[in-house]
Amino acid sequence: MKVDGVLFDIDDTLVDTRGAFAHALAAVARRYLPDVGPERDLEVLAHWRADVDGHYGAYTRGDETYREQRMSRANALHSAFGGPQLDDAGYDAWNALFEERFVGAWAPHDDASAAVDRLLAAGVVIGALSNASVAYQTRKLARVGLVDRVPMLVGVDTLGVGKPDPRVFVEACRLLGTEPARTAYVGDELDVDAWAARDAGLVGVWIDRPGGRRNGLPDAHEHAPGVVVVRSLTELADLVDV
């Protein structure tokens, strides 16, 4: 794979966001979901990550505010698991608990730092493109010790839309200083990451990490036509031909 630059997704690509969500939602369940014991925490996590009503997608299209989508998802979770419906004040308290535990659990994936160092040492330029805000994701990258090596370039607030809109990929390449055709975009979601990057003219890379997927995609890699499939960032670094 011959590229001059690599753009990274952040959540569940560089940062173990699934693990951080699990930590935060366990705290939410203990306080707000009286009928949910620890044995059902994975079920709660799967419901949150699935976002079956598509609120986060609406946020990335500019159709909902960040607060609106988060509050709607919190109330959907409570409806599914027997928690109280949250008004504005109730949501504020809920979100304070969630964010405290979520931020406190941010950690890089074990393969992230070494893979980034290998790419940089080989002369590849690196940046990040995410469907969250620039400030929030910069804070996340700083917390896990990557921001000095993986600058946050484009967030959902940069152009007012997020992935899979091709404009965000083109803008990230412009800021990175590379041509789209010579730039890989690496993310954990096949549709809004790898396929969308491919359709925007980049090299789409799907990191299919072991563990439960949020979108229920099958295991067979033949379901990822036209993109590169890796199981780890170490494998990505091995594939880059510089």
Side-chain angles (χ1 to χ4, degrees):
M1 183 170 62
K2 297 182 178 181
V3 296
D4 302 317
V6 173
L7 290 164
F8 284 103
D9 175 43
I10 295 174
D11 295 305
D12 292 317
T13 298
L14 293 172
V15 177
D16 182 11
T17 308
R18 181 180 185 272
F21 275 144
H23 191 75
L25 291 165
V28 165
R30 303 294 85 78
R31 184 172 299 182
Y32 288 97
L33 307 178
D35 297 328
V36 176
E39 71 281 356
R40 297 185 66 194
D41 282 352
L42 289 179
E43 186 182 347
V44 173
L45 173 63
H47 185 281
W48 179 261
R49 295 179 78 230
D51 186 23
V52 294
D53 295 320
H55 290 291
Y56 201 85
Y59 165 61
T60 66
R61 295 190 300 272
D63 296 333
E64 293 186 22
T65 66
Y66 184 82
R67 180 185 176 88
E68 286 170 344
Q69 66 83 24
R70 176 66 73 83
M71 185 171 174
S72 294
R73 293 176 69 192
N75 275 320
L77 185 78
H78 285 206
S79 292
F81 291 95
Q85 288 299 285
L86 303 168
D87 59 14
D88 281 338
Y91 167 73
D92 287 340
W94 185 98
N95 194 54
L97 171 64
F98 183 97
E99 280 294 306
E100 176 190 0
R101 301 303 176 88
F102 183 51
V103 171
W106 286 344
H109 275 291
D110 291 343
D111 55 1
S113 185
V116 165
D117 284 345
R118 285 179 59 193
L119 293 172
L120 289 172
V124 177
V125 290
I126 289 176
L129 159 61
S130 170
N131 267 2
S133 74
V134 170
Y136 194 77
Q137 297 298 69
T138 298
R139 180 184 173 205
K140 188 178 292 178
L141 287 169
R143 174 107 182 179
V144 303
L146 291 172
V147 73
D148 291 338
R149 290 170 287 163
V150 189
M152 180 62 192
L153 299 179
V154 173
V156 71
D157 52 338
T158 302
L159 301 178
V161 295
K163 303 172 295 184
D165 193 303
R167 291 173 292 176
V168 299
F169 293 98
V170 173
E171 176 64 5
C173 289
R174 185 187 72 81
L175 294 173
L176 193 65
T178 56
E179 292 298 320
R182 295 280 300 184
T183 308
Y185 183 75
V186 187
D188 69 299
E189 295 192 67
L190 179 57
D191 48 0
V192 301
D193 289 331
W195 282 343
R198 174 202 63 192
D199 294 346
L202 287 73
V203 179
V205 180
W206 179 32
I207 181 165
D208 181 22
R209 288 194 179 278
R213 302 193 187 109
R214 66 169 57 87
N215 49 17
L217 286 166
D219 286 330
H221 286 178
E222 59 263 26
H223 290 271
V227 303
V228 177
V229 182
V230 297
R231 298 285 283 182
S232 72
L233 294 180
T234 302
E235 187 177 341
L236 168 73
D238 290 341
L239 286 175
V240 172
D241 182 1
V242 294

